[in-house]
Amino acid sequence: MKEISKSVIKKDHQPKIDGSALYVGDYPQEGMLHGRIVRSPYARARVVEIKPYALPEGYFTVDHRDVPGINEVHIVKDDTPVYAEEIVEYIGDPVLMVVGPDEQEVLRIASEIEVVYEQLPAVLNVRDSETAFFDYNFGKGDPDTAFAEADKVYEEEFETGYQEQAYLEPQGMIATFADSKLSIHGSLQCPYYVHGAIAKALGLTPDRVRVVQDVTGGGFGGKEAYPSILACQVAVAAYRAGGKPVRVIFDRREDMEFTSKRHPSLSTYRVAVKDGRVTAMDIDVIFNAGGYTTLSAVVLQRGIIASPGVYKVENIRVRGRAMKTNTVPTGAYRGFGAPQTFFAVEMMMNHIARDLGEEPLAFKQRHLVKQGDPTSTGGIYHFPVPLPEMIAEVEQMSGYSQKRTEYNAAKPGRYRRGVGIALWFHGAGFTGSGERDHIKAVTRLHKSADGRVEILASQSDIGQGIKTTLCKIVANELNLPLDHVTYNNPDTDRVPDSGPTVASRSLMTVGELLRRAAIRLRSEWKDAEDQTVEERFVEPDFVIPFYIEKFQGDAYPTYAWAVSAVEVEVDTLTGVNKVLGAWASFDVGTPIDYNIVVGQMEGGLLQGLGYASMEQMAADQTGRIRNNSFSDYIIPTSVDVPVLQVKMHVEEYPLGPYGAKGAGELPLVGMPAAYMAAMEQALHQSIQHIPFSAEDALFGTAHE
Ligand code: MOS
């Protein structure tokens, strides 16, 4: 293990343990106003009238007519209104906000205000949607000829459900408009996303908007775009509040029903096989985007780029669509589109192998990409692909092949066991040209005369440990004790835009900029002087430029890799299944703090297992999300996986700090496929959907 990988006490450990860390809900409420959003009860409707309501003194409402700038939330394509105008597009679409000094009174008024709607036909099922927000096509080789010449063609459809981020701290913001400046702080991943959104909605120049991240109780992607929406709504209220702060903090039910979650998907794979080898894939991916586009374009891009999996396939045709439905807009969740397609491709490969009479792992191993091979988009896997070594590590930890053989031979009884394995990657950093064309990250280091150094960047610590790891990098280059390097929660008045905390980019991309800044500061160091150095992102020379119009080039500079095996036992009388063990090897390059990275790997792995099984979320026949509490949306905990073993396989990335690559999202991505491969063996059936419930397990075995 490298010196830098040795674990330290996290920078934010003490304040979180002693309670001094201030989350948005912890700020003293004297003099604050409270806001409550009134939302559409219909999946699609025309807003006819907001009935006049005699508000008590000190109370007011805001709606789209109060938006001083443009009534659009800047995300990617700005079709999300701050407050709905004529048409509401999903149950929960915000129409107005009630604001006033007493929270209970605000809630009462919000429940009494009458909005008259004219209901309109709504599209609730993605299969009925005729509106594609985005429709991408790309490919390579000659799939038509490959299909014509195939020995056999396989076709299957795979379906995945919602997944709710289930961060412990719900969404919340506090905004104040004073001295012609809008200041806002709250629970968020991306201060400059919020900054840009408020500037547009309020029609303010950038210097008149200030965004500060509060200590944040988890994000997992759920605080990537949604805080921009809530921030604009609260900012509009603050603009009217005569200098008083306005606070909106969601309750759990509101948070679960009305904020973004993972896109449900339908993927159809047609696969040509000749001489026992996959020669072509024709892939059609449909994501349910919900009522507005929010982040769907980029989530879909990552999903379809990953859709052929870790396999070398010469001929590919991919179509991906994000369809509009009148349901809650879906968005970022750890993995960002890739868990959906990795589930599909891994199950597809298992099913083809079974039909060919070959063990899935052996079949997959014959198709693995290697260093130097082309990617799905005509880029190159520039760096070593350590999957063969990682498979061997997982074999050793789990006894996969031996168990596989044993369970294949087992007689069917009430309790059945199965073991499955999945292989996957996660593209490290932004998809395509985002980093080069849009983010253009800037970081600074500020040294005070006393020799202490402060990191100036816009990364947010949302539990993943970035405060600690960035400080470790800078302290290491400057030979300073760790407590002489500080990193505060980002404040846009003080820090440059080093980009959002998304896409497993912070440590790899911003960490490397800070390492270079530290090297420069070291060479220019002057004792007892105040100094600032700056470093800007430059795309590495080896990268083949990516063009989104053609889906051509390196979608990612490098990849993180994963192999995981899962063992299950199913009670075929009740359908209940237990995970007996999960073993995984993860390559995220050099861990910049071993404990932090292993914690990330274990947590993501568990989220992936939950996604495949117990995390069931659905809309009812009116389009309303039914599972709106932690008692009917169950997430796994450590007791759900009695044996959990993670191995860090280190394949250093020469352009990441000390060899580090993107880490955060990787561990979740392929876990559903590993779990369901194990369930297939236990149940002797094919599985094409997640979440896979106890009822599903019963249904599959009832007739045997
Ligand atoms: Mo993310 S899922 O890139 O916040």
Side-chain angles (χ1 to χ4, degrees):
M1 189 161 44
K2 278 194 170 176
E3 192 60 28
I4 190 91
S5 301
K6 290 195 180 146
S7 296
V8 300
I9 293 172
K10 283 173 93 175
K11 280 276 189 182
D12 53 354
H13 172 83
Q14 192 55 35
K16 281 183 174 169
I17 293 300
D18 66 23
S20 62
L22 282 188
Y23 295 79
V24 63
D26 294 333
Y27 284 82
Q29 293 172 46
E30 293 95 51
M32 266 188 202
L33 303 181
H34 299 269
R36 178 79 174 185
I37 295 170
V38 174
R39 301 167 179 280
S40 168
Y42 301 114
R44 192 151 176 274
R46 185 182 311 282
V47 181
V48 178
E49 187 197 358
I50 299 169
K51 285 258 179 86
Y53 184 96
L55 289 159
E57 206 189 312
Y59 292 78
F60 64 95
T61 65
V62 289
D63 60 38
H64 71 92
R65 294 163 299 190
D66 299 289
V67 176
I70 300 170
N71 186 31
E72 291 173 354
V73 182
H74 176 54
I75 299 175
V76 174
K77 202 175 162 213
D78 301 352
D79 61 336
T80 307
V82 178
Y83 291 103
E85 296 184 18
E86 197 192 342
I87 305 290
V88 284
E89 298 282 3
Y90 67 97
I91 293 181
D93 207 347
V95 176
L96 61 96
M97 187 188 288
V98 179
V99 187
D102 183 273
E103 193 168 15
Q104 291 313 311
E105 187 69 353
V106 166
L107 292 182
R108 187 185 63 77
I109 297 166
S111 70
E112 286 178 1
I113 280 194
E114 229 184 301
V115 181
V116 182
Y117 298 91
E118 175 196 338
Q119 276 197 75
L120 298 171
V123 176
L124 300 180
N125 188 326
V126 73
R127 291 180 198 264
D128 301 330
S129 172
E130 288 173 357
T131 308
F133 281 144
F134 305 97
D135 185 346
Y136 298 130
N137 291 273
F138 71 94
K140 63 179 180 179
D142 181 359
D144 290 333
T145 304
F147 277 101
E149 293 175 351
D151 297 334
K152 200 157 181 186
V153 173
Y154 298 85
E155 180 168 338
E156 286 186 44
E157 185 186 88
F158 300 91
E159 189 166 3
T160 64
Y162 283 114
Q163 191 182 18
E164 159 61 35
Q165 294 87 354
Y167 32 66
L168 281 181
E169 182 206 26
Q171 306 268 353
M173 292 280 171
I174 298 172
T176 312
F177 188 72
D179 303 326
S180 310
K181 184 158 180 162
L182 190 289
S183 301
I184 191 161
H185 60 98
S187 185
L188 55 95
Q189 288 177 222
C190 314
Y192 274 98
Y193 280 3
V194 173
H195 188 269
I198 290 178
K200 180 173 182 179
L202 265 65
L204 296 172
T205 51
D207 57 308
R208 289 170 65 197
V209 179
R210 177 185 185 188
V211 180
V212 183
Q213 183 225 354
D214 286 321
V215 178
T216 297
F220 309 110
K223 292 170 186 167
E224 174 171 344
Y226 197 85
S228 297
I229 301 172
L230 179 59
C232 287
Q233 291 157 350
V234 181
V236 169
Y239 195 75
R240 287 267 320 271
K244 288 190 176 151
V246 177
R247 169 191 193 261
V248 176
I249 296 178
F250 287 175
D251 58 33
R252 181 62 59 185
R253 180 174 168 173
E254 191 174 22
D255 197 295
M256 280 191 146
E257 284 187 29
F258 307 129
T259 72
S260 64
K261 34 207 110 267
R262 192 185 302 288
H263 292 72
S265 74
L266 287 173
S267 300
T268 306
Y269 276 63
R270 266 181 79 231
V271 179
V273 173
K274 189 169 175 62
D275 302 327
R277 211 189 144 77
V278 171
T279 53
M281 287 188 178
D282 186 348
I283 301 166
D284 184 87
V285 176
I286 290 175
F287 280 3
N288 182 350
Y292 298 106
T293 62
T294 62
L295 287 167
S296 288
V298 265
V299 175
L300 178 63
Q301 287 164 18
R302 190 180 274 275
I304 59 178
I305 288 165
S307 63
V310 295
Y311 307 114
K312 191 172 180 183
V313 184
E314 310 284 343
N315 306 291
I316 290 174
R317 183 187 295 128
V318 181
R319 182 179 194 191
R321 282 169 287 174
M323 305 303 292
K324 175 178 178 175
T325 58
N326 297 107
T327 55
V328 61
T330 43
Y333 186 153
R334 200 173 193 175
F336 208 72
Q340 291 93 321
T341 50
F342 263 107
F343 169 67
V345 72
E346 284 295 280
M347 299 314 277
M348 189 78 210
M349 291 294 278
N350 295 344
H351 300 166
I352 296 169
R354 199 175 51 202
D355 185 71
L356 295 173
E358 191 173 359
E359 262 301 306
L361 180 57
F363 180 67
K364 290 175 180 179
Q365 279 173 303
R366 291 198 292 108
H367 288 85
L368 293 183
V369 294
K370 301 186 303 295
Q371 182 176 19
D373 280 346
T375 68
S376 68
T377 57
I380 291 176
Y381 292 102
H382 293 278
F383 300 98
V385 177
L387 288 172
E389 300 92 303
M390 296 167 71
I391 291 168
E393 287 161 2
V394 171
E395 273 284 11
Q396 224 228 327
M397 288 191 281
S398 65
Y400 169 80
S401 288
Q402 201 196 324
K403 285 177 180 164
R404 185 88 192 162
T405 310
E406 197 182 309
Y407 300 153
N408 271 340
K411 291 202 175 58
R414 174 173 166 184
Y415 295 95
R416 297 189 199 163
R417 288 188 174 192
V419 64
I421 198 162
L423 322 176
W424 69 98
F425 64 61
H426 196 68
F430 261 102
T431 299
S433 61
E435 199 68 63
R436 179 192 71 211
D437 294 346
H438 301 297
I439 302 303
K440 300 176 180 145
V442 181
T443 60
R444 290 188 199 115
L445 288 177
H446 175 245
K447 173 173 89 67
S448 333
D450 66 0
R452 289 176 186 258
V453 174
E454 183 183 3
I455 293 172
L456 300 172
S458 57
Q459 302 329 115
S460 53
D461 200 318
I462 53 177
Q464 86 283 35
I466 200 72
K467 267 189 181 171
T468 308
T469 47
L470 292 181
C471 287
K472 279 180 84 174
I473 290 170
V474 172
N476 187 66
E477 285 302 338
L478 291 169
N479 290 312
L480 288 175
L482 191 57
D483 63 356
H484 284 209
V485 180
T486 54
Y487 183 42
N488 297 311
N489 290 345
D491 168 350
T492 60
D493 265 9
R494 297 190 63 240
V495 302
D497 186 357
S498 59
T501 297
V502 302
S504 307
R505 70 178 283 280
S506 295
L507 194 279
M508 177 179 81
T509 304
V510 181
E512 176 63 8
L513 292 181
L514 288 166
R515 192 184 72 87
R516 292 179 189 177
I519 291 170
R520 189 124 60 79
L521 179 58
R522 191 177 64 206
S523 69
E524 296 170 8
W525 188 280
K526 294 188 190 75
D527 281 334
E529 274 186 37
D530 198 279
Q531 286 175 278
T532 300
V533 294
E534 185 176 284
E535 199 69 38
R536 290 169 176 267
F537 176 78
V538 183
E539 188 155 80
D541 287 340
F542 70 83
V543 170
I544 302 168
F546 188 84
Y547 297 100
I548 192 66
E549 313 75 47
K550 297 189 200 135
F551 274 82
Q552 277 295 313
D554 279 327
Y556 308 98
T558 192
Y559 297 79
W561 302 93
V563 176
S564 177
V566 173
E567 185 181 7
V568 298
E569 183 178 78
V570 185
D571 179 347
T572 56
L573 188 67
T574 61
V576 170
N577 68 83
K578 283 196 296 220
V579 172
L580 300 178
W583 301 267
S585 176
F586 295 118
D587 166 31
V588 298
T590 305
I592 308 297
D593 201 286
Y594 185 80
N595 285 349
I596 287 177
V597 173
V598 169
Q600 282 278 79
M601 297 302 114
E602 293 180 348
L605 185 159
L606 274 177
Q607 283 180 317
L609 294 179
Y611 177 37
S613 55
M614 63 182 76
E615 296 191 33
Q616 318 242 353
M617 176 170 270
D620 65 17
Q621 66 276 14
T622 69
R624 186 178 194 110
I625 296 286
R626 303 157 68 152
N627 315 75
N628 58 20
S629 74
F630 281 143
S631 53
D632 60 10
Y633 185 78
I634 312 291
I635 58 173
T637 65
S638 54
V639 297
D640 293 299
V641 186
V643 177
L644 197 172
Q645 206 181 341
V646 163
K647 154 112 186 128
M648 298 315 302
H649 183 102
V650 180
E651 188 63 57
E652 293 190 11
Y653 172 49
L655 284 102
Y658 312 110
K661 307 191 265 197
E665 294 168 281
L666 177 77
L668 188 154
V669 172
M671 290 311 300
Y675 191 172
M676 290 304 114
M679 289 294 286
E680 286 191 330
Q681 190 186 30
L683 296 171
H684 310 289
Q685 68 167 102
S686 284
I687 292 173
Q688 277 97 357
H689 74 271
I690 52 166
F692 194 83
S693 65
E695 289 83 355
D696 289 326
L698 263 188
F699 181 76
T701 53
H703 57 275
E704 282 188 30

